[in-house]
């Protein structure tokens, strides 16, 4: 089959990092494991899952395994199921760090660094930076709670910010005062994109419609839909627009 998409490998890399953290802390994933005539207990159970994840990650590069036998749909399902097995041994917060991702525009990162040097904007800048760093495990408000991917962008002017709020097709919603984070000078707007909208924005709506039109496996539809979106790197996405006024 074709090469495994890089975002699938990145997902497994995040699983490995979470397991490495558990191992470094001396956390025991299980009391005991009996696998392939071998017995593991205590910290060895964590080592077992960590090595299994590393081995699985290597297989995604070599594709030298029975996992890669069968049709393309069957291979994708086996990879998805293997990933889900690793999710089961992680804590809820660890799963969020693995499955929910954030992306910050470089222009916004530079603007936040400059804002931290201004006494009038330092507080807002620090809070926004903290939220971006922790965006996989916390939400700004209810509007972004279902998003698995969060993108942060800089807005250059108040006029541009207002245009986002008045966009006819995909209007953004101002959330400056809606969350637990208090901003005195910055303005924050949010645009939520569901899965269909994400396919449309990437000019892949035909691919999305073909899946719905050709999918007849009712019993496994939900799982097949998850695998389809995972493989295409499509998920519910929130775009946060940050306007930093020149004070």
């Amino acid at each position: 089959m074709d090469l495994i998409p890089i975002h699938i490998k990145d997902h497994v890399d995040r699983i490995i990092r979470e397991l490495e953290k558990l191992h470094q802390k001396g956390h025991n994933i299980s009391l005991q494991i009996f696998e392939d005539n071998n017995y593991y207990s205590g910290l060895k159970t964590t080592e077992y899952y960590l090595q299994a994840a590393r081995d699985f990650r290597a297989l995604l590069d070599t594709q030298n395994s029975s996992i890669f036998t069968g049709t393309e749909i069957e291979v994708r399902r086996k990879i998805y199921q293997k990933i889900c097995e690793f999710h089961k041994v992680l804590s809820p917060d660890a799963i969020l760090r693995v499955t929910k991702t954030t992306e910050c525009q470089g222009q916004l990162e530079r603007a936040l660094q400059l804002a931290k040097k201004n006494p009038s904007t330092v507080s807002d800048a620090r809070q926004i930076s903290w939220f971006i760093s922790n965006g996989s495990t916390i939400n700004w408000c209810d509007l972004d709670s279902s998003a698995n991917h969060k993108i942060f962008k800089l807005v250059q002017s108040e006029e541009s910010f207002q245009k986002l709020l008045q966009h006819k097709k995909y209007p953004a919603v101002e959330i400056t005062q809606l969350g637990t984070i208090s901003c005195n000078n910055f303005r924050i707007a949010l645009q939520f994109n569901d899965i269909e909208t994400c396919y449309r924005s990437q000019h892949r709506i035909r691919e999305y419609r073909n899946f719905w039109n050709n999918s007849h496996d009712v019993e496994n539809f939900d799982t097949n839909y998850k695998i389809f979106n995972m493989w295409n790197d499509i998920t519910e996405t929130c775009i946060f627009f940050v306007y930093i006024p020149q004070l």
Side-chain angles (χ1 to χ4, degrees):
M1 66 173 296
D2 294 336
L3 295 176
I4 306 301
I6 187 63
H7 67 271
I8 300 292
K9 298 178 181 181
D10 289 343
H11 188 116
V12 178
D13 285 337
R14 292 194 293 274
I15 289 173
I16 292 172
R17 287 196 292 271
E18 292 299 327
L19 291 170
E20 286 174 340
K21 291 178 187 177
L22 293 178
H23 186 260
Q24 290 167 4
K25 293 177 181 179
H27 176 81
N28 303 332
I29 283 180
S30 178
L31 291 176
Q32 59 184 22
I33 298 174
F34 187 74
E35 190 73 30
D36 297 329
N37 294 321
N38 291 314
Y39 176 78
Y40 307 89
S41 63
L43 189 59
K44 290 293 182 179
T45 62
T46 305
E47 293 175 359
Y48 169 83
Y49 281 107
L50 175 56
Q51 188 58 51
R54 287 171 173 167
D55 291 344
F56 177 59
R57 175 62 179 82
L59 289 177
L60 294 180
D61 285 332
T62 64
Q63 298 190 35
N64 184 23
S65 167
S66 60
I67 291 177
F68 298 94
T69 60
T71 66
E72 188 169 344
I73 292 176
E74 290 170 342
V75 171
R76 292 181 181 185
R77 176 179 286 274
K78 284 186 280 189
I79 290 174
Y80 170 80
Q81 290 172 337
K82 191 68 176 177
I83 288 173
C84 289
E85 288 178 15
F86 289 116
H87 286 180
K88 291 176 182 178
V89 303
L90 299 176
S91 69
D93 276 354
I95 292 174
L96 290 178
R97 289 191 292 269
V98 167
T99 58
K100 297 201 171 191
T101 54
T102 60
E103 172 187 348
C104 185
Q105 181 189 49
Q107 198 173 14
L108 174 58
E109 290 180 341
R110 292 187 291 272
L112 289 172
Q113 290 302 317
L114 289 174
K116 289 175 185 177
K117 299 177 182 180
N118 185 333
S120 300
T121 56
V122 60
S123 178
D124 285 4
R126 285 176 176 172
Q127 292 197 77
I128 296 299
S129 294
W130 178 84
F131 179 73
I132 292 172
S133 298
N134 295 277
S136 60
T137 56
I138 61 173
N139 303 313
W140 184 282
C141 59
D142 290 341
L143 295 177
D144 65 308
S145 60
S146 62
N148 291 318
H149 186 54
K150 296 176 182 178
I151 302 173
F152 298 85
K153 295 184 177 182
L154 177 69
V155 179
Q156 297 285 0
S157 66
E158 188 168 6
E159 180 183 7
S160 296
F161 188 87
Q162 289 299 132
K163 286 183 178 179
L164 287 169
L165 303 180
Q166 298 165 5
H167 194 284
K168 291 183 178 179
K169 194 170 185 180
Y170 301 115
V173 177
E174 182 163 7
I175 59 171
T176 307
Q177 304 300 327
L178 293 183
T180 56
I181 296 177
S182 175
C183 288
N184 296 318
N185 295 302
F186 289 11
R187 294 183 70 182
I188 316 295
L190 174 70
Q191 182 187 76
F192 181 86
N193 295 326
D194 60 19
I195 288 176
E196 181 174 348
T197 301
C198 290
Y199 276 103
R200 193 180 300 278
S201 66
Q202 294 185 22
H203 307 290
R204 300 168 67 186
I205 190 64
R206 180 177 296 178
E207 183 180 354
Y208 177 75
R209 287 174 176 168
N210 285 341
F211 171 84
W212 282 88
N213 292 334
N214 298 327
S215 183
H216 303 293
D217 188 356
V218 177
E219 184 177 350
N220 296 306
F221 179 83
D222 288 345
T223 299
N224 290 341
Y225 186 57
K226 290 177 182 178
I227 295 171
F228 173 75
N229 293 323
M230 180 192 76
W231 209 262
N232 288 323
D233 197 19
I234 296 287
T235 188
E236 292 86 353
T237 300
C238 276
I239 304 177
F240 291 80
F241 298 98
V242 183
Y243 169 55
I244 304 176
Q246 300 298 316
L247 300 177

